[in-house]
Amino acid sequence: MEITSINSELLSRMFLAAAKNLEAKKDWINELNVFPVPDGDTGTNMSMTIMSAAKEVSALKNPTMQELAKAVSSGSLRGARGNSGVILSQLFRGFCKVIADYQEIDVMILSDSFQKAVETAYKAVMKPKEGTILTVAKGAADRALELAQETDDLVYFCDEVIKYADHVLSRTPEMLPVLKQAGVVDSGGQGLMQVLKGAYDCLLGKEIDYSIEGSAGTGFVKITSETEEEIKFGYCTEFIIVLNRPLSDKEEQEYKAYLESIGDSIVVVADDEIVKTHVHTNDPGNAIQKALTHGSLSRIKIDNMREEHQEKLIKDAAKIAAEQKAAETEGKAARPTEIVRPLETPPVKMQEDEPVKTNTASAAVEPKKEYGFISVSAGKGLSEIFRGLGADYIIEGGQTMNPSTEDILLAIEQVNAEHIFVLPNNKNIIMAANQAAELAETDVIVIPSRTIPQGIVSLINFIPDRSVKENTDAMTAELDSVKTGQVTFAVRDTEIDGKQIKQDDYMGIGDRAILSVGSDLKETTLELADELVDEESSIISIYFGADTTEEDATRLSEALEEKYPDIEVEVNNGGQPVYYYILSVE
């Protein structure tokens, strides 16, 4: 079979097939990412990124190549999660820049698209590392450039590109020692291969289910009030406008102003083709009628928040009653029930007792404060600490649950400030935060905090009387003043950082290496502290996780106080998943 050109209809199906294939393989890719820490989320991040774009693509009917390119680029950009997801979105972005100018794609155009994809992705990464998804993408692009001079047959071309990219993937353990030690290839590179292979299967005419299920990819965080009396506007209304033509800046501002006149919790995300809209209002019809003046509507979703609130109260009351009854039976009081706010887009969470920050109609007329703060956090206790330090908005995420670019954008929309500082507090979220900052309409400063303790010390060192630059410089400089240690367990046998690790061993992980390994949690944590403490250390902060008791944390602190009598030791309930303890040494 020989194919010499691909039109927009076929390319649309190829993209959906690529998304479906990656979605089907995400758990397997996650497993590759687990070496040996239980934080494997590369497959999930890449899948959620491409599925965000796939939902945009599946909503199009008979798209032109330009419309298709816009949907893929915009959808993946806003849905990007984690470093692997952000890099994938940048690969798509570069690819789409080239194809948007053509009605059909041949071998030469496809090769040019690959070159632009790699160029765009490498530019997005501050310090590109070989042996990763970037290396696999570059290998594919290099082979494509060679083949473009040899053949016009896209079937042969794609087959040879995939074979060579697979070969490059197989060599990634030789480029990254950590992969060789774990006995795996790079998970991000494997994810990219599943994208290419899924698209190729479609090109060959294999039978594929192209349907994209669910509407979770809308990217809207649903916020409901504490009591029905506080629900001023009763209907949570969401939809997408497929524009007749791009909105001018004036038209976009007028549209937002109208929505603010009829409701609150306004979120409007616009590009040249579509406008995503979220509004709480008492008359959804007015919002819909206004939107129809700009184009046709899709994905309309209207929820009665007062009804939902009543249903929630009933369910919560029944749950608490059942727990109390069970506790009485056991002869002890029931523990308070933690209520987690329902969400549109996992994994972002917000606790029920968290202050709700919205761009309400009343807030719109209030002057913006000078500084605002958004922090990513994992665990109720850690979130409380960040709120106590002045964070306006908490995005609950972190390891295994990275918020997307759009999640961060939505958080930015909720903070009424001239300058907004974002603390990612995880190295795998920094790229998504930077991408959100580039897309935001307000001044956003990303402080590249790689851990929770770095975020805390950075926020502590904010001084209101300083300028934006002075605060940015000071907060960033303070990141290196704290050492972080995290204790978790191993999910497989391996050797890494010169240490023999067995499944279920406890591991103390420092900022750059595994520092302690053992079968006893307390002893492993104490060994980790030994590696972190030096002559300059004055404070050790312990944040105990969801799987650790306060009693155990207290015993650990007593042991540390005995061992380091000149160092202050404090204990905090972090409530974080995955990590039994997070240690901060300053």
Side-chain angles (χ1 to χ4, degrees):
M1 178 176 68
E2 181 175 321
I3 298 174
T4 58
S5 66
I6 298 172
N7 60 20
S8 58
E9 181 183 354
L10 175 55
L11 187 61
S12 176
R13 293 200 306 273
M14 290 173 67
F15 182 79
L16 294 178
K20 296 282 281 193
N21 194 48
L22 180 56
E23 170 76 5
K25 306 288 178 57
K26 66 181 179 182
D27 291 336
W28 172 52
I29 295 167
N30 282 341
E31 287 295 322
L32 295 177
N33 190 220
V34 179
F35 51 87
V37 184
D39 62 355
D41 56 0
T42 296
T44 299
N45 285 339
M46 295 183 73
S47 174
M48 295 184 77
T49 298
I50 198 171
M51 291 304 286
S52 174
K55 289 181 174 69
E56 300 287 336
V57 171
S58 64
L60 300 175
K61 293 182 179 180
N62 303 318
T64 64
M65 194 70 77
Q66 189 175 40
E67 290 171 339
L68 176 61
K70 186 68 176 178
V72 172
S73 180
S74 177
S76 61
L77 190 71
R78 294 174 184 277
R81 296 175 186 270
N83 291 346
S84 54
V86 172
I87 292 172
L88 182 63
S89 74
Q90 291 298 320
L91 287 169
F92 287 146
R93 185 183 181 193
F95 182 89
C96 290
K97 283 181 180 178
V98 175
I99 67 167
D101 293 333
Y102 300 92
Q103 294 304 312
E104 292 192 348
I105 298 172
D106 59 17
V107 164
M108 192 61 70
I109 295 170
L110 193 55
S111 175
D112 290 345
S113 301
F114 281 9
Q115 312 310 312
K116 191 65 175 179
V118 171
E119 176 190 333
T120 305
Y122 267 87
K123 284 182 179 178
V125 180
M126 187 172 297
K127 295 181 180 178
K129 183 178 291 187
E130 297 307 324
T132 65
I133 181 176
L134 290 171
T135 307
V136 177
K138 188 175 186 301
D142 289 345
R143 183 62 177 141
L145 191 60
E146 294 174 1
L147 289 165
Q149 312 302 321
E150 302 173 9
T151 182
D152 294 327
D153 182 7
L154 283 160
V155 174
Y156 173 75
F157 173 89
C158 292
D159 184 43
E160 290 297 312
V161 166
I162 288 173
K163 286 178 181 175
Y164 186 75
D166 252 337
H167 169 67
V168 174
L169 176 65
S170 71
R171 293 182 58 246
T172 55
E174 303 301 322
M175 304 177 202
L176 282 178
V178 68
L179 297 177
K180 191 169 186 176
Q181 288 176 342
V184 296
V185 296
D186 178 66
S187 54
Q190 185 64 270
L192 178 61
M193 290 310 305
Q194 301 315 307
V195 172
L196 296 176
K197 290 177 179 179
Y200 182 59
D201 283 345
C202 175
L203 182 66
L204 294 177
K206 292 186 179 181
E207 187 173 339
I208 297 169
D209 176 12
Y210 297 103
S211 60
I212 302 297
E213 299 177 359
S215 58
T218 57
F220 295 121
V221 178
K222 184 176 178 182
I223 303 173
T224 54
S225 302
E226 292 285 336
T227 66
E228 187 173 348
E229 287 73 18
E230 294 175 357
I231 301 177
K232 182 179 179 182
F233 299 102
Y235 294 94
C236 177
T237 306
E238 303 171 9
F239 51 78
I240 291 176
I241 310 172
V242 181
L243 295 170
N244 295 327
R245 58 175 177 76
L247 294 181
S248 66
D249 291 342
K250 182 180 179 182
E251 287 173 325
E252 184 176 340
Q253 291 304 315
E254 288 176 348
Y255 177 59
K256 289 179 180 178
Y258 177 78
L259 294 178
E260 288 172 347
S261 73
I262 64 168
D264 66 10
S265 295
I266 313 297
V267 178
V268 174
V269 180
D271 58 28
D272 290 344
E273 305 292 335
I274 63 171
V275 178
K276 289 186 176 182
T277 301
H278 171 279
V279 60
H280 291 177
T281 179
N282 285 327
D283 194 339
N286 286 343
I288 289 172
Q289 289 297 320
K290 182 66 174 180
L292 284 170
T293 64
H294 296 295
S296 59
L297 303 188
S298 68
R299 303 191 200 177
I300 300 173
K301 183 173 177 287
I302 301 172
D303 293 322
N304 186 326
M305 294 188 293
R306 294 187 178 95
E307 279 187 5
E308 288 182 345
H309 178 74
Q310 288 295 333
E311 291 172 2
K312 184 174 183 299
L313 287 179
I314 293 170
K315 290 179 181 178
D316 289 343
K319 183 178 178 181
I320 293 171
E323 288 182 352
Q324 289 173 339
K325 184 175 181 180
E328 289 168 3
T329 302
E330 296 173 8
K332 59 183 180 181
R335 297 175 63 186
T337 302
E338 179 183 345
I339 303 173
V340 179
R341 190 177 301 273
L343 303 170
E344 294 296 326
T345 307
V348 182
K349 295 180 182 176
M350 187 182 296
Q351 272 91 29
E352 196 65 33
D353 58 352
E354 183 175 324
V356 177
K357 303 290 182 179
T358 60
N359 289 335
T360 62
S362 59
V365 298
E366 294 177 0
K368 288 186 176 183
K369 61 180 182 177
E370 186 172 6
Y371 296 114
F373 303 91
I374 296 170
S375 176
V376 178
S377 177
K380 185 175 180 180
L382 293 173
S383 298
E384 289 295 339
I385 290 170
F386 279 111
R387 277 195 289 270
L389 292 173
D392 298 276
Y393 197 102
I394 302 294
I395 304 174
E396 189 163 318
Q399 208 63 42
T400 75
M401 41 191 239
N402 300 152
S404 69
T405 297
E406 189 161 26
D407 291 330
I408 300 170
L409 272 173
L410 289 167
I412 292 168
E413 290 278 349
Q414 304 301 312
V415 179
N416 190 31
E418 295 288 346
H419 312 285
I420 301 174
F421 289 91
V422 177
L423 300 164
N425 302 332
N426 185 290
K427 64 182 180 181
N428 206 34
I429 301 173
I430 294 173
M431 287 185 71
N434 286 331
Q435 196 154 270
E438 292 176 5
L439 295 172
E441 296 180 358
T442 191
D443 182 35
V444 176
I445 306 98
V446 177
I447 304 296
S449 51
R450 301 182 302 277
T451 66
I452 290 290
Q454 282 191 344
I456 290 173
V457 74
S458 177
L459 197 50
I460 287 173
N461 281 275
F462 171 82
I463 298 177
D465 292 339
R466 286 177 175 169
S467 68
V468 175
K469 185 179 185 309
E470 287 172 333
N471 269 311
T472 301
D473 292 344
M475 293 169 74
T476 302
E478 287 298 325
L479 298 180
D480 293 328
S481 71
V482 59
K483 299 177 185 177
T484 301
Q486 302 178 103
V487 183
T488 185
F489 65 95
V491 296
R492 64 170 66 175
D493 295 349
T494 188
E495 179 182 348
I496 192 168
D497 294 330
K499 293 179 171 57
Q500 292 290 336
I501 302 169
K502 296 181 179 180
Q503 184 175 341
D504 296 328
D505 272 352
Y506 297 106
M507 298 180 298
I509 305 171
D511 290 320
R512 294 178 176 83
I514 294 177
L515 302 179
S516 63
V517 177
S519 57
D520 183 272
L521 176 58
K522 179 181 175 183
E523 290 304 315
T524 303
T525 308
L526 289 172
E527 289 178 23
L528 172 63
D530 284 342
E531 296 291 332
L532 298 174
V533 171
D534 58 28
E535 294 179 355
E536 303 297 322
S537 302
S538 59
I539 300 174
I540 300 175
S541 299
I542 302 170
Y543 303 93
F544 64 90
D547 297 319
T548 311
T549 66
E550 185 172 0
E551 291 76 12
D552 285 343
T554 300
R555 283 192 286 269
L556 174 64
S557 71
E558 290 170 350
L560 288 170
E561 287 171 345
E562 182 178 349
K563 196 167 191 177
Y564 307 108
D566 296 330
I567 296 179
E568 179 183 348
V569 180
E570 60 178 35
V571 178
N572 303 278
N573 183 353
Q576 71 273 2
V578 181
Y579 298 105
Y580 298 102
Y581 294 110
I582 297 176
L583 299 186
S584 169
V585 178
E586 302 174 59

